[in-house]
Amino acid sequence: MIFPLLRIVTGGVLLVSGFEKTIHPYQNFLYAIQAYQMLPGWAETLTAVLAPWVELITGLFLMLGLWTMQALRWALMLFAVFIVVVAQALLRALPLDHCGCFGSWIQATPRQIIVFDSFCFLALMVLLRHLAKTQRFSLDERFTRR
Amino acid sequence: MPKQKLTVIIVVGAVAVVVAVRIFLSLSAGQMDPSRMRAKGDPKARVRIVEFIDFQCPACADGALKLKKIYTLHPEDVRIEMKYFPLMTIHRHTMTASTYAECAGRQGKFWPMHDLLVERQAQWRDLISAEGMFTQFAREAGVEEAALQRCLASPDVEQTVMQDRDLGRSLGVESTPTYFINHKVVVGSKSLTEELNQYFGQNR
C-alpha cells in the first residue's frame, strides 16, 4: 500500500506545482528562475513556459499510474534538476527569500525545499526499484491485466 | 480503450482544465480603474505602465528609480500608474509606508512622497520603527502634518491599500515588482529593463 501512496503523493507534488504555474502568467515563474542566475535570458523564458507543463503532465501520469516507469524517470530528472539548482543557489549564497517552486500557494526557503526535494528524489528511486508494487492501483495495472 | 488513446485524452483534458481555469481567472479579475491621484503622464501616452509595488522591497525601489528616469527622459511617451501590493508577512514597514504615501497622495503629494520612500529605502527598511522617518519624509514632500495625522488614523486608508492588493491578486500578481506595460505582464527589475529597452532602446 505504501508504494502506490508514495507514487500518488510525489505525483501530487508535481501536479500542484505545475498547475499553480500554468494557471498564472508565466512571468511569475520567470521571475523566480531569474533569481537563481543560472541561465541566459532566452533559456530562462523557455524554462518558465515549458517546465510547468512538464511538471503538470508528469505529476498527472504518476498519480494515475499511466506510463508509470516513464513518469517516474521524468520525475526523477525533474527533482534532480531542482536539487542542483537550489544547491548551487545555496552554495553561491544567493539572496532568495523563498524557492519559487510553488508560486504563491506554498512558500518554502531554499534550505527547506532542498530537504523536501531530496526526500522526493529518494522516494522516486525506491518506487522505480519496486516498479511492480508501485504500479498497484494504477491504470497501467488495468492495461496489463487485459 | 487503447493506452495511447487514453494518454491523448488525459493530456488534452489537462490542457483543457488549465485553459478553462485561466479563462475563469481572467473573467473574474478586477478592472484596473485609473487612479489620477497615483498616476503621472499623458493618459494617451504610447507606453502605459501600471506598477504593483511594495515600498520595502529592494527590487521595487530599483524598478521605481528606472521608471522615474524613463519618465524624466520621455515625459510625453510614458504614463505611470502605481498600485500598492504590500507583502506584510515579510516586510514589517510596508503597510505603514503605503499609508503614508496614500495620505500624502490625498494632499496631492503622492509622487514626492513615493520618490523619497524608494530613494531612501535603505535608510528605513531595517529600522525597528520607521514612522518618525516617514513623518520627516512627508515634511520634505510638503505634506501638511495635522491633516496627515488625521488621514493616517482613518481606517479607509488601509482599505484603499488592500483594495489595490486584492486587485493585483485577481490579476495574477504574486510577487513584487509586477508591471503591466501596455497590458503585458512583466515581473521583476531585470524583465522591466528588457521590456523598457524594447520601447526606448538601450541608450535611453
Side-chain angles (χ1 to χ4, degrees):
Chain A
M1 192 64 199
I2 186 80
F3 291 93
L5 195 68
L6 259 182
R7 188 195 81 224
I8 291 167
V9 169
T10 48
V13 168
L14 289 172
L15 181 74
V16 170
S17 170
F19 186 68
E20 198 283 342
K21 292 179 200 121
T22 48
I23 62 167
H24 290 122
Y26 78 88
Q27 289 89 344
N28 285 320
F29 186 43
L30 174 63
Y31 186 40
I33 294 171
Q34 286 170 344
Y36 287 94
Q37 301 172 22
M38 261 188 97
L39 299 169
W42 64 267
E44 286 174 340
T45 307
L46 194 69
T47 308
V49 173
L50 292 182
W53 286 103
V54 176
E55 280 184 284
L56 180 82
I57 300 296
T58 305
L60 188 61
F61 279 19
L62 212 50
M63 284 187 83
L64 295 171
L66 186 65
W67 304 104
T68 310
M69 190 177 74
Q70 290 83 348
L72 282 170
R73 286 180 176 162
W74 274 100
L76 264 174
M77 187 196 71
L78 284 170
F79 277 106
V81 171
F82 298 157
I83 291 166
V84 169
V85 168
V86 178
Q88 67 85 32
L90 285 171
L91 287 172
R92 291 163 67 196
L94 294 178
L96 299 172
D97 288 333
H98 60 89
C99 66
C101 336
F102 295 95
S104 59
W105 284 1
I106 304 167
Q107 301 209 331
T109 65
R111 280 178 200 281
Q112 289 167 335
I113 210 67
I114 204 164
V115 172
F116 180 74
D117 285 349
S118 303
F119 170 78
C120 288
F121 185 82
L122 290 174
L124 288 163
M125 293 267 277
V126 172
L127 292 178
L128 198 59
R129 197 170 166 77
H130 300 274
L131 191 61
K133 289 178 184 168
T134 303
Q135 283 177 319
R136 289 197 63 200
F137 307 110
S138 72
L139 287 173
D140 279 343
E141 190 182 41
R142 293 178 69 110
F143 280 108
T144 45
R145 258 197 227 144
R146 284 182 185 178
Chain B
M1 186 189 292
K3 195 172 177 180
Q4 281 78 4
K5 196 175 174 186
L6 182 65
T7 304
V8 172
I9 289 170
I10 287 171
V11 171
V12 171
V15 174
V17 168
V18 169
V19 170
V21 172
R22 288 193 74 145
I23 290 170
F24 172 77
L25 289 176
S26 68
L27 290 176
S28 57
Q31 292 292 313
M32 277 203 267
D33 46 332
S35 155
R36 275 178 294 167
M37 205 167 65
R38 286 178 267 127
K40 59 182 177 184
D42 183 354
K44 290 177 184 160
R46 75 182 172 100
V47 184
R48 185 175 170 233
I49 304 168
V50 180
E51 54 169 347
F52 282 84
I53 66 168
D54 169 320
F55 279 111
Q56 203 174 339
C57 125
C60 298
D62 185 45
L65 295 176
K66 282 177 188 159
L67 290 183
K68 187 182 177 185
K69 187 180 166 194
I70 280 287
Y71 183 75
T72 308
L73 293 173
H74 308 274
E76 68 288 352
D77 291 330
V78 184
R79 162 94 171 169
I80 300 172
E81 198 175 305
M82 187 268 173
K83 302 271 184 201
Y84 305 107
F85 199 83
L87 302 168
M88 282 97 76
T89 50
I90 52 172
H91 294 145
R92 74 160 81 173
H93 302 310
T94 184
M95 179 52 96
T96 314
S98 302
T99 53
Y100 268 78
E102 177 62 20
C103 286
R106 291 181 184 190
Q107 293 186 38
K109 304 287 183 190
F110 175 79
W111 289 105
M113 188 68 191
H114 165 278
D115 291 352
L116 285 165
L117 285 168
V118 297
E119 282 164 11
R120 300 188 196 169
Q121 189 200 67
Q123 293 175 20
W124 58 265
R125 70 171 173 235
D126 296 325
L127 295 176
I128 292 170
S129 170
E131 278 90 343
M133 195 168 274
F134 294 159
T135 305
Q136 177 59 36
F137 291 169
R139 263 187 228 122
E140 283 183 47
V143 175
E144 202 272 303
E145 206 168 328
L148 171 73
Q149 294 305 330
R150 278 197 303 276
C151 174
L152 289 171
S154 164
D156 73 303
V157 178
E158 272 198 25
Q159 208 178 330
T160 303
V161 174
M162 296 309 281
Q163 275 170 358
D164 271 8
R165 199 187 67 161
D166 293 344
L167 170 69
R169 288 246 164 94
S170 78
L171 292 167
V173 176
E174 290 185 343
S175 45
T176 57
T178 293
Y179 309 91
F180 290 80
I181 302 182
N182 288 346
H183 302 290
K184 180 185 175 185
V185 182
V186 174
V187 185
S189 187
K190 185 183 173 188
S191 295
L192 173 68
T193 306
E194 288 167 4
E195 194 66 21
L196 292 176
N197 286 344
Q198 288 186 21
Y199 285 104
F200 302 101
Q202 291 199 353
N203 302 316
R204 55 183 188 266

